[in-house]
Amino acid sequence: MVDTIPVFSRLFRGIDRADGIALMNEMGALVRKFPAGGIVLREGSPKLNIGVLLDGCLEMYETDVEGHRSVVGLVHPPESFAQVFAFAAVERHPATVVAVRESRILVIPIDRVLPQPGSALSMVRRRFIRNMLADICETAWQLRFRAFILSRRSTTERLMAYLREKMRAEGSNDFTIPLDRQGLADYLCVDRSALSSVLGRLAEKGVLDYHKNHFVLHGPVGELE
């Protein structure tokens, strides 16, 4: 039985906490815990649930036929995941989701989200469905941005496109990204050593400074765009 909901999640925007908990129990949702390294969803598994991260951190990645891993993204509380594929014309998940650290997830069965034909649609469920549509659109936009990143030809172009977007999102030249060096290389689909070489060269040229996952891009935002 669900006794809490992530009130700041896009899925529950405008929904009273008590109403949200009641709706989740009506849908047969549950809360599951995963240890660090635990597989939440495995690539190729049937799509059954939508997840909302209550606490912890998740990583999503795809693996090609040669076994090379490509990070799709990270999930932080109170973000949702697997919602884009929930109602798409695919039967199995295209990516693996793993817990980066111990995590708790609100698991919502896909087949309970939409009401049965002929049944009444409550105002709370109507709001939830509208929120889910907005959430799917936002996630699709993020996937579009990654497609743009991967369309850049060089490691330098991919890196700078990613960092400039993070800078715009933060509204500051000084920001921290949610990826470590290997995670950033996987996200950009580049070799880690090549990424390190590019970072070193850009730092020498005075384009940026960095320490681990903290970056400072030099010059006004407008000039760097």
Side-chain angles (χ1 to χ4, degrees), residues 163-173 175 217 221 224:
L163 293 178
R164 283 167 176 157
E165 175 58 27
K166 292 301 179 184
M167 179 182 66
R168 279 193 289 267
E170 293 293 329
S172 171
N173 294 9
F175 56 90
L217 299 189
V221 173
L224 289 172

Side-chain angles (χ1 to χ4, degrees), residues 111-183:
D111 60 1
R112 301 290 295 277
V113 171
L114 298 178
Q116 296 299 315
S119 62
L121 189 63
S122 69
M123 291 300 296
V124 175
R125 186 184 287 263
R126 190 188 304 274
R127 179 73 188 209
F128 181 81
I129 293 173
R130 185 164 66 246
N131 287 348
M132 178 166 290
L133 178 59
D135 191 45
I136 289 172
C137 291
E138 174 63 25
T139 303
W141 176 259
Q142 293 172 6
L143 293 174
R144 178 188 177 279
F145 169 67
R146 185 159 189 262
F148 168 77
I149 292 289
L150 298 184
S151 71
R152 306 300 90 186
R153 294 184 177 182
S154 69
T155 299
T156 300
E157 290 176 342
R158 292 184 181 186
L159 172 64
M160 291 308 298
Y162 174 81
L163 293 178
R164 283 167 176 157
E165 175 58 27
K166 292 301 179 184
M167 179 182 66
R168 279 193 289 267
E170 293 293 329
S172 171
N173 294 9
D174 189 327
F175 56 90
T176 300
I177 67 172
L179 299 167
D180 60 16
R181 185 67 53 82
Q182 185 60 57

Side-chain angles (χ1 to χ4, degrees), residues 48-65:
L48 300 173
N49 305 303
I50 297 165
V52 185
L53 186 60
L54 299 176
D55 50 61
C57 181
L58 307 177
E59 181 181 79
M60 298 182 290
Y61 66 87
E62 298 178 357
T63 307
D64 63 21
V65 293

